[in-house]
Each structure stands twice: as C-alpha cells, then as structure tokens.
Amino acid sequence: MRVLLVGGGGREHALADAISRSPLLSKLYCAPGNAGIAQVAECVSIGAEDLDALHAFATDGDIDLTVVGPERPLIMGLADRLRADGMAVYGPDAAAARLEGSKAFTDEILAKYGLSAKRFRVFNTPEEAKTYAREQGAPIVVKADGDAFGKGVKVCSSIEEAEDFIDAVMVRRDFGAAGNRLVIEECLVGEECTIKVFTDGETVVPMVASQDHKRIGEGDTGPNTGGMGCYSPVPNVSDAVQDCIVTSIIMPTVKAMAEEKAPYSGTLYGGCILTDSGPELIEYNCRFGDPETQVVIPRLQSDLLEVLAATAEGKLDGIDLSWSDEVAACVVIASEGYPGSYEKGKRITGLEQAQTDERVKVYHAGTVAQDGECYTAGGRVLGVTALGSDYDDAFERAYAAIDRVHFDGMYYRRDIGWRARSGPDSR
Ligand code: AMP
C-alpha cells in the first residue's frame, strides 16, 4: 500500500513510525514531515494546507491511502477533494469536520439529538451576546465559533471579563473570521477527560484513554500550550466512564452526523467534563491529539495501517484492537519562550543516546535536518515517550532519556503525570 501522511509534527511522527512497521506498507510519503519522520518516510516539501499540491501529489503518485494529521486541511476540505476522485482518505469531509470547525454547529447538533443538557446560545452581534451574558451571570464560558488555534475559548469568572472577551472576539477580531459568530455556554464543573475513537461513520472503535497537560508551567500554571506532556492510561477514566461517554455521546453523535447527511469518518476526539449529573461534551476534535497520539499509538499492538485503511473503506466492523497494558508517558521539550516568541535553529544533541533504552522513543515535533545534524524549528521541539510497568517506571525512563538530550534554551516540565504518579516529583 502506498500511503501519503499529511502533517509534520509529533503526532505525525508517532503515526509514521507505526505505519512504517505495517506489513501492508510498500511506500510511505509525508508532507511536509520533519527530521524524525524522514527516518521512516520520504518527506515531500508540500505544506499541510496546500490543498492543490497535496491533491496533485496524491493523484499523480498513485497513493492508495491519504492519512490527514492536522485539523486545518480537513476543515478546508482536503478529504472531500480526494474522495471526489475516488481516493481513500483517513479523516472526515469538511461538512463532518464542522464538529471541530464550528462550536455553534456542535452545540446545535448535541441539543437537536438530545445529547447534552448544557445551556448555550449562539450570537451574531456583540450587543446581544453581552445582554445574554449579563442575564446569565458569571461564571460563564465565551467561545469564538470558528477554529482559533485553541485560543478562542475563555472561562470568565466575572461579567467584565466576559464582555471584554466578547469584544476581543467580535469587535477587535483577535481571531479573525473565527469570530464571525460567538457561543456562550453555561460553565460546567467537574473533572475533564478526553475520549478518542476510530469511526467509519457507523462502527465506533474506542482508543485507550490519555490525559494531557496544557499549561506551560509546573503545577499546571501559566498560559495554555498545544500540550506539554501526557500519559495513558488515566486513573480517573475507568472503563465504565469511557463506555458511558462512548455509548451516550460519541456513538449517537456519529449516528446524528449520518442523519444530517454529513457522515463522519476518521478520528473523533471528545473533550468531556464529568459533572454531578453525568458526562457533558465540551468540544470535539476531528483528528488525533498532539501529544496524546505519542502515548496512545505506542500502546496499540494491532496494525495501525490496517485500522486506518479499514476506517477509510467503511470496513471497521469486525476490527478488534489489542492494546498493551503498559503505561505510556510523554514529556514534551519546548523552545525557551514558547508559547510566546522563541528562537529557532538550535543544534540538538543526544538524540541517539536518549534512545538507548529500548522502551524510549523520541518523537520529533519542530525539527529540521541539515548536513547530518538536527536543529530546532518550532515551539514544541521533541516528545520523549517511554513505556513502563507503571507510571513511575514510565516517567523515570522518559526523564532519564531527556537528561541525555540538549539544545540551547530547552525547556520541559518536570512534573508531567503528577496526578498519576506516587509523588509530586519522584525523579
Ligand atoms: P475547548 O477549546 O472548547 O475545549 O475549551 C477549552 C477549555 O475551556 C476546556 O478544556 C475547558 O477547560 C474549558 N471549557 C470549555 N467549555 C466549557 C464549559 N462549558 N464549562 C466549563 N469549562 C469549559
């Protein structure tokens, strides 16, 4: 099978690594890839949002399956274009990717099919939004409707804060067209968890649970990032909780999308809050998480390519996945300054030494190869994943590997997994 993987971050490195081990694979391309992916795939210099060039490459290159990593090309309609030419794609069409691309669409679908009790309203003007926010009172959640790179949501503890964020979204246009509409939601209280499934539009096959740390600082403080580390499994997400969310929210959503004539195929990733009256969905993503993929996929013992192809072909029924019981831990190494501005082009050393432990894998996120050396090329640079017999074992291996890696200004949190580990810092 000739496969094109779209994307160039840590998530795509984890996918590329697993796909490259499949006996079904004859050739793996990745657009644009990175220095780590280049070790297991042929990287082609096409950006993940260059739909014309990706379409041309897939059709001219006799590609059997295109696997789309990031959400943007899916929201922009890459899967639609390839499917229109009869090609197999892993990832939803644009109409189905609205589950990530529009928070108003998702809230409306959930309400229409009775899948949520959460109060919400959608607004086209800031005045109406402010009036409603004042009526409801704080705390209240304000969301830009569209894709705002994860920055378009604010949990507001006062009405002043809510009014200011409404202005940021709809008047100052901080998030551009993502702020054409705005959603105000009731503020839910409870522990958060994420549930990820493979679905071909009918059959739903859950993945193992994982938990990430979004904040830059230790103790989960400071600004939000794309994710500074994660682990799988998750102590508070029992099989019962996972089953409940899959059967009461995820599967009915997949059915609803088919009824809406926007069948959903690919990864469906639900962010939930476990409230006193049951789980509530707060967001859907239409792709694998990053860095969650770096802990979920290493635990998959089945052939990933077989699952992706079966999903794309609508043949997920009958696929039974097997997962390792081991703990997977991932710690992200970022460039100093991230998620604000940071420098690039720092030489990275110690990558081979870090992987002398066969339970450790260093996934590249923002790296570039030059003259046989590896350099930083992004905010999140590497994700160091280790498998272990328990949380402490896995995290100790990951941190021991990190001790061997060096680049100027490298930053990582030393407390990833603190909720699951035996001590706040058992290094
Ligand atoms: P989202 O991008 O929609 O996942 O929102 C980002 C974060 O905002 C979530 O991880 C939650 O912590 C929080 N959040 C979003 N919606 C709500 C809600 N309705 N109630 C409470 N917190 C929320």
Side-chain angles (χ1 to χ4, degrees), residues 123-134 166 170 182 184:
F123 298 95
N124 292 302
T125 68
E127 293 76 25
E128 288 170 297
K130 286 181 190 172
T131 306
Y132 178 78
R134 281 193 293 267
I166 291 167
M170 297 196 103
L182 178 139
I184 296 187

Side-chain angles (χ1 to χ4, degrees), residues 124 317 342 384:
N124 292 302
D317 189 19
Y342 52 83
V384 179

Side-chain angles (χ1 to χ4, degrees), residues 103 141 143 153 155 185-188 192 273 282-283:
K103 298 196 183 291
V141 183
K143 301 185 173 185
V153 174
V155 178
E185 293 179 1
E186 153 186 17
C187 187
L188 302 167
E192 292 186 33
I273 292 191
I282 46 169
E283 72 160 346

